[in-house]
Amino acid sequence: MQTPPTPAVQDDPEYADNLRRATLASSIGSALEYFDFALYGLATALIFNVLFFPQDDPAMATVAAFATFGVGFVARPFGGLVFGVLGDKLGRKLVLVITITLMGGASTLIGVLPTYDQIGLWAPALLVVLRLLQGFGAGAEQAGATVLMAEYAPIRRRGFFSALPFIGIQAGTLLAAVVFSLLTLLPEEALMTWGWRVPFLCSFVLIVLAVVIRSRLRETPTFVELEKQDQVAEKPVRELFRTGFPGVLVGIGLRMAENGGSYMFQTLALSFFVAVVGSDADKGILTWGVTLGALIGIVTTPLSGALSDRFGRRAVYRFGAVFLLVYSLPAWWALTLGNPYLAVAVVAIGLGIAVNSMLGPQCAMLPELFGSRHRYLGVAMAREISAVLAGGLGGVLGAYLIAVTDANWLVIGLYMTGLAAITTVSTFLVPETLRRDLTRTDDAVKISPAEAGDDVWLSGSQPVAAGRAAAATTFAAARADRGGGRDREDALR
């Protein structure tokens, strides 16, 4: 005799309300992080290199400015480690309130910093300190938003719902590009004295809004179940490095093209274009490429997430990686032509299609790689170590290569091609995680069959019946404990 189907959890007003609140809370955090980081990246090539560093050698001043940009990436893994542990021990909600406050507060203070002409070497030193704090908070912000939405989302539409908050990434990038484009319309003196400070100071508004929303958010159902079953990890770092490190390595590989490509198109392309065209270049023109890329990403990010619910995470992710692999060399060559409209199109396509078609499936895929006891930490480490290697190093190394090779497009193009190749290979190493049960405490990427036991994940496979039966038992117990069928995973299964 079959059990009557449980009503869809979307029909539960309480669950639907919490899902909307989680989406909004994650989106605002994503918007703030990428508004700050995109704005900082745009300002690095045109503002910070002039105001915060000596001008004896302008090219090296630009390299130094990009080094401070990279410092933020260096801090991110440490923030991911600290807050990832707290997120797995104390819950997702509390950590997300802390990270948004730290990250946004540091960004606001950048807007009041004195310049090199005012306080000398203290200016770049203070800029580095605030950049470190910004990166430390951001180190767990995106991991937390990713885990939060994956654990809240309906299982059959997890790719779509997990990608929705990352529209905040596009919104933040779009807002930063528009604001910076408008700032470049100011007279040079106004821009370099007070104009550039305004958007950093405005970060405070987003902080207040995000903290209010997140303080009203309920803890994720997955973490609540961990607490009820008394399974919260006491030492998530030890667990992660004992069983979850293969997942971290694969996650790093998956992120190299997405993260590196994003920051290279957003920041390095502007410096490259100015170096090729010369001082007569319209310094604000490529920000419109970032703007158009963000507009395209508002569609392609949730669309690719939804496609991953139908065709699998790996197939959609691989499409984006291969697209960037083929696109890299022609893109950087096209920038050397000096045509501003072509340059805008190059950046827009690179960001809107190549990068964001990987970001969509990634939002669900990374949380699905890790067990529930160390999921926050695992996602944070995969995201932030890759951010250092691809994003931070990409800016510094790219700026240096532009300076020493006289803006040789082939060198920069080959660098991006290498990042895309790493990610393409990684899509063949990761198992298919579509519809994986997020209450499971084991990882999707196993060290070996002997260590994994009977429930072994192979490339393109689903877990064996033993693991499914165990998960079903857990859900049944949780449903009985609540007395009434509100478990979203069980309802959609």
Side-chain angles (χ1 to χ4, degrees):
M1 180 178 179
Q2 291 185 336
T3 304
T6 308
V9 292
Q10 295 97 315
D11 298 332
D12 182 353
E14 183 181 358
Y15 170 74
D17 183 60
N18 280 313
L19 181 60
R20 284 192 298 268
R21 189 176 292 128
T23 304
L24 184 58
S26 301
S27 298
I28 291 178
S30 299
L32 177 60
E33 177 183 352
Y34 276 77
F35 172 75
D36 289 338
F37 268 67
L39 186 66
Y40 194 103
L42 291 169
T44 295
L46 302 177
I47 306 293
F48 295 153
N49 60 331
V50 176
L51 295 183
F52 287 89
F53 298 92
Q55 295 300 297
D56 299 335
D57 187 341
M60 287 299 105
T62 300
V63 172
F66 271 101
T68 66
F69 182 73
V71 161
F73 290 95
V74 173
R76 291 178 68 132
F78 297 98
L81 177 63
V82 172
F83 291 119
V85 170
L86 293 178
D88 283 323
K89 295 183 69 172
L90 304 179
R92 323 311 193 199
K93 171 186 169 179
L94 175 63
V95 172
L96 283 172
V97 172
I98 296 173
T99 56
I100 197 71
T101 304
L102 179 61
M103 182 178 66
S107 299
T108 302
L109 290 175
I110 289 175
V112 300
L113 280 180
T115 65
Y116 181 84
D117 287 340
Q118 294 171 318
I119 60 171
L121 291 176
W122 281 105
L126 291 173
L127 183 64
V128 167
V129 170
L130 291 179
R131 182 65 176 162
L132 284 169
L133 292 175
Q134 188 187 52
F136 194 77
E141 172 62 32
Q142 279 301 309
T146 300
V147 170
L148 182 78
M149 281 311 303
E151 292 184 346
Y152 258 113
I155 188 171
R156 294 188 183 277
R157 302 189 67 195
R158 184 184 292 151
F160 172 72
F161 275 96
S162 296
L164 280 182
F166 286 75
I167 293 177
I169 291 178
Q170 316 309 325
T173 303
L174 176 62
L175 182 60
V178 170
V179 168
F180 199 81
S181 295
L182 294 175
L183 287 177
T184 59
L185 300 178
L186 290 172
E188 186 78 9
E189 183 179 357
L191 173 63
M192 303 301 284
T193 52
W194 60 267
W196 69 270
R197 299 179 183 274
V198 174
F200 286 99
L201 295 174
C202 289
S203 298
F204 183 74
V205 177
L206 288 175
I207 300 172
V208 174
L209 184 60
V211 169
V212 170
I213 294 174
R214 289 184 176 187
S215 63
R216 298 178 57 195
L217 185 66
R218 293 191 178 185
E219 189 54 79
T220 69
T222 299
F223 190 80
V224 169
E225 287 304 314
L226 280 175
E227 289 183 317
K228 286 185 177 181
Q229 301 295 328
D230 197 23
Q231 288 186 322
V232 176
E234 291 295 324
K235 298 178 179 179
V237 176
R238 178 183 296 180
E239 282 196 15
L240 180 68
F241 282 91
R242 188 177 69 243
T243 62
F245 196 65
V248 174
L249 291 178
V250 171
I252 291 172
L254 290 172
R255 287 262 297 161
M256 295 300 283
E258 176 267 322
N259 188 260
S262 176
Y263 283 105
M264 288 181 74
F265 280 124
Q266 286 185 53
T267 63
L268 201 62
L270 176 57
S271 293
F272 182 82
F273 188 72
V274 172
V276 169
V277 177
S279 59
D280 294 333
D282 183 350
K283 295 182 178 180
I285 189 66
L286 282 197
T287 60
W288 291 109
V290 177
T291 301
L292 290 175
L295 285 172
I296 297 171
I298 289 175
V299 176
T300 54
T301 301
L303 175 61
S304 58
L307 289 174
S308 76
D309 285 327
R310 181 172 182 178
F311 300 107
R313 315 290 186 223
R314 294 186 306 168
V316 179
Y317 211 117
R318 190 174 299 149
F319 165 80
V322 172
F323 186 97
L324 185 65
L325 183 69
V326 175
Y327 184 70
S328 296
L329 289 177
W332 289 96
W333 171 79
L335 290 177
T336 65
L337 300 179
N339 186 313
Y341 300 104
L342 179 60
V344 167
V346 165
V347 173
I349 294 171
L351 287 173
I353 298 178
V355 169
N356 287 310
S357 59
M358 290 182 278
L359 180 61
Q362 180 192 115
C363 300
M365 192 175 194
L366 287 185
E368 289 169 341
L369 289 177
F370 300 98
S372 57
R373 287 166 58 89
H374 52 251
R375 176 170 295 127
Y376 200 134
L377 180 60
V379 173
M381 289 295 94
R383 285 188 59 87
E384 304 314 326
I385 293 175
S386 62
V388 174
L389 298 176
L393 181 61
V396 177
L397 179 59
Y400 177 76
L401 290 175
I402 290 173
V404 300
T405 65
D406 195 24
N408 187 312
W409 68 271
L410 184 59
V411 174
I412 305 298
L414 287 174
Y415 180 75
M416 181 177 281
T417 301
L419 295 177
I422 292 172
T423 296
T424 301
V425 171
S426 297
T427 63
F428 289 94
L429 301 178
V430 68
E432 180 55 71
T433 59
L434 181 65
R435 297 175 187 169
R436 194 170 196 260
D437 174 9
L438 293 188
T439 65
R440 296 174 58 164
T441 58
D442 61 323
D443 296 300
V445 182
K446 303 299 185 183
I447 299 174
S448 69
E451 292 174 279
D454 293 332
D455 185 12
V456 180
W457 279 75
L458 298 176
S459 181
S461 70
Q462 295 290 334
V464 297
R468 299 299 254 180
T473 302
T474 300
F475 283 128
R479 182 181 172 195
D481 183 55
R482 281 193 291 273
R486 284 185 178 175
D487 192 291
R488 59 179 178 50
E489 301 276 4
D490 193 34
L492 290 175
R493 206 164 280 284

